[in-house]
């Protein structure tokens, strides 16, 4: 077994820990060299079953999206930062300075962050609406909830190719709607309009094609039935 195999099997048995022992071979003996934070971001578990968002998002789409697409972003992010000085940084730190990193870090770090957020803010909630401070902030930024829905839906529909639509909290605490290509997000130092992502919608075809085919607008209009506004409110109130 070579060293790479050994590191791999070690990370399997210790999956779930943020720090791992680092071992190396010396004089044919395995010795512990040091303990440091490995590149070990993990695929988060969903807080619900793959069929929980039906009929708005089908179980097969959810399963492939989470267990294949998101899992690949995590694996490729870990591969891209392994052995670099990014391996002991938080994902937020990595994204805030992503202009200095290889494009694999940008694509896969963004992919991991964006999907983690996406799973968290989904829940069947037909005709649900924001309330409290978030509802007031939406009214002051956009005029009304209906105006916000239109602006956000337009951003999602109009994103050419693959990307995301966002509701962000800017540094002055106010809200804005933005959109980013690929797996970019508003935390990154490469985007024009920065802010804390409060709500995000994945408009990559892999997010909707099995059920909606080319009908992205229908997927977007159904999104309003699956937003967990309690989680979105918490993101708004805690996010900087
Ligand atoms: Mn996706």
């Amino acid at each position: 077994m070579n060293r790479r195999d050994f590191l791999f099997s070690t990370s399997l048995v210790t999956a779930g820990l943020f720090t791992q022992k680092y071992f190396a071979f010396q004089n044919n003996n395995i010795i512990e060299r040091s303990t440091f934070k490995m590149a070990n971001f993990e695929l988060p578990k969903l807080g619900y079953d793959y069929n929980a968002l039906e009929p708005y998002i089908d179980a097969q789409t959810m399963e492939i999206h989470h267990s294949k697409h998101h899992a690949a972003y995590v694996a490729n992010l870990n591969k891209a930062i392994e052995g670099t000085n990014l391996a002991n940084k938080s994902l937020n730190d990595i994204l805030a300075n992503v202009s200095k990193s290889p494009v694999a870090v940008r694509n896969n770090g963004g992919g991991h962050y964006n999907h983690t957020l996406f799973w968290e803010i989904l829940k069947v909630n037909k005709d649900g609406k924001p309330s409290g401070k978030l509802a007031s902030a939406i009214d002051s930024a956009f005029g009304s909830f209906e105006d916000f829905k239109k602006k956000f839906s337009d951003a999602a529909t109009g994103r050419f190719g693959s990307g995301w639509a966002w509701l962000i909290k800017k540094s002055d605490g106010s809200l804005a709607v933005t959109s980013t290509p690929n797996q970019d997000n508003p935390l990154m130092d490469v985007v024009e309009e920065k802010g804390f992502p409060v709500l995000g919608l994945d408009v990559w075809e892999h997010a909707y094609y099995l059920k909606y085919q080319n009908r992205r607008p229908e997927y977007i209009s159904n999104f309003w039935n699956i937003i967990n506004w309690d989680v979105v409110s918490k993101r708004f109130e805690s996010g900087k």
Side-chain angles (χ1 to χ4, degrees), residues 77-147:
L77 173 62
N78 286 335
K79 202 177 350 171
I81 65 176
E82 185 182 347
T84 76
N85 63 2
L86 298 177
N88 57 4
K89 290 209 157 63
S90 73
L91 186 53
N92 287 55
D93 281 351
I94 291 173
L95 299 180
N97 299 290
V98 83
S99 62
K100 298 173 196 135
S101 295
V103 70
V105 175
R106 176 172 170 177
N107 289 341
N108 295 293
H112 180 35
Y113 184 97
N114 298 347
H115 289 84
T116 302
L117 177 157
F118 193 49
W119 311 137
E120 278 174 10
I121 55 114
L122 297 178
K123 172 194 165 182
V124 171
N125 185 13
K126 193 165 166 21
D127 303 321
K129 281 183 184 170
S131 59
K133 289 177 189 165
L134 175 60
S136 311
I138 284 176
D139 288 346
S140 14
F142 307 105
S144 69
F145 179 58
E146 287 308 313
D147 289 323

Side-chain angles (χ1 to χ4, degrees), residues 5 27 33 39 46 116 119 142 154 179:
D5 292 338
N27 303 325
R33 286 274 293 274
L46 291 188
T116 302
W119 311 137
F142 307 105
D154 287 349
S179 159

Side-chain angles (χ1 to χ4, degrees), residues 3 79 126 143 151 173 232:
R3 185 174 128 194
K79 202 177 350 171
K126 193 165 166 21
K151 191 160 191 191
V232 178

Side-chain angles (χ1 to χ4, degrees), residues 172-185:
D172 67 1
S174 67
L175 291 170
V177 165
T178 70
S179 159
T180 54
N182 305 315
Q183 295 295 354
D184 286 357
N185 74 37

Side-chain angles (χ1 to χ4, degrees), residues 149-160:
K149 273 173 74 172
K150 176 160 192 334
K151 191 160 191 191
F152 186 95
S153 300
D154 287 349
T157 310
R159 164 51 50 197
F160 184 76

Side-chain angles (χ1 to χ4, degrees), residues 121-125 128 199 223-229 232:
I121 55 114
L122 297 178
K123 172 194 165 182
V124 171
N125 185 13
L199 175 68
F223 175 58
W224 302 105
N225 293 317
I226 50 167
I227 299 174
N228 187 335
W229 287 108
V232 178

